[in-house]
Amino acid sequence: MRQSIAQLERAFVEEVELDRVRRDRLRRTAATRSRVRTIQRRRAQSSFRFALLVFTMIATAVIVTVVMFRTLYIVLG
């Protein structure tokens, strides 16, 4: 009886330790996945902002050019 109780206690302690290790591994894995998702989200937002900036600059250049030539046409016309 004593030997079986000792074996049960030892098995329980081993199981608890394995559970702790598994929980730590899961926690680290979840933290890594969260960090990767955050980086991907920031990168996507940065790409969108850069594209918006480039579009705005091109649109501004086109508008300024059109207005300049129309003004020049009116002044010289």
Side-chain angles (χ1 to χ4, degrees), residues 24-76:
D24 288 342
R25 186 175 54 240
L26 287 173
R27 189 177 300 118
R28 277 186 265 121
T29 303
T32 302
R33 276 188 280 138
S34 176
R35 198 169 23 253
V36 167
R37 281 192 305 254
T38 302
I39 290 169
Q40 289 173 342
R41 197 176 318 118
R42 284 183 184 166
R43 189 171 292 151
Q45 289 173 348
S46 296
S47 297
F48 175 73
R49 288 177 185 156
F50 180 74
L52 187 63
L53 175 66
V54 169
F55 174 75
T56 303
M57 291 175 69
I58 291 172
T60 302
V62 168
I63 290 170
V64 167
T65 303
V66 168
V67 170
M68 181 184 69
F69 278 114
R70 283 191 178 193
T71 304
L72 190 60
Y73 179 75
I74 291 172
V75 169
L76 294 179

